[in-house]
Amino acid sequence: MYDKNNVFYKILQSEIPAKKIYEDELVLSFYDINPACRVHAIVIPKKSYVDFHNFVKTATSDEVGHFFAAVAKVADMLEISNSGYRIVSNVGEDSGQEVPHFHVHILGGEKLQPHSTKILRP
Ligand code: AMP
C-alpha cells in the first residue's frame, strides 16, 4: 500500500525542493541530498509505486521501458556513461529502503567500492 507521507511524494508535489536534473511527463530525477559518492542521482516515476517490485509488477511495459531509458539518459546527462556507474534500488525492509516511493540510485563520478552483498547482523 502506497503511503503519500514520504519525501519523494512531497518533492513531486513541490512541497519540498529538490535539485532537479531531468524531468518529463513520467519521470523526475534530482540529486541525492546525502551523496554517497561524487555523482549521486535519484530517478523516480511520477506515478505512485512503493518499490521496484511493485513498479515492475503493476506498471505497463511502456512505463517500465520509459523509466529505465530515462535512467540511462540521466547517466548521459551527468557524463558518467563512459566512466561507468552503478544503479541500485532498495526494495523493502531487509534492503534498508528508507523512502517508500520507487527510486533508482545512480552512483558514479569516481571509483566505487565493490558492491557489497554482505548481510547485516547485530
Ligand atoms: P533508500 O534507502 O534507497 O530509500 O534511499 C533514500 C535516499 O533518499 C537516501 O540516499 C537519501 O539520502 C535520499 N533523500 C532523502 N531525502 C531526500 C531529499 N529531500 N532530497 C533528495 N534525496 C533525499
Side-chain angles (χ1 to χ4, degrees), residues 84-95:
Y85 61 92
R86 177 177 295 152
I87 59 173
V88 173
S89 190
N90 290 315
V91 180
E93 194 181 332
D94 277 358
S95 75

Side-chain angles (χ1 to χ4, degrees), residues 17-18 25 36-37 39 46 56 71 77 88-89 92 104 109-110 114 118:
E25 70 281 11
C37 54
V39 178
K46 289 189 172 176
V56 170
V71 172
M77 292 172 70
V88 173
S89 190
V104 165
E110 61 185 317
K118 288 181 183 155

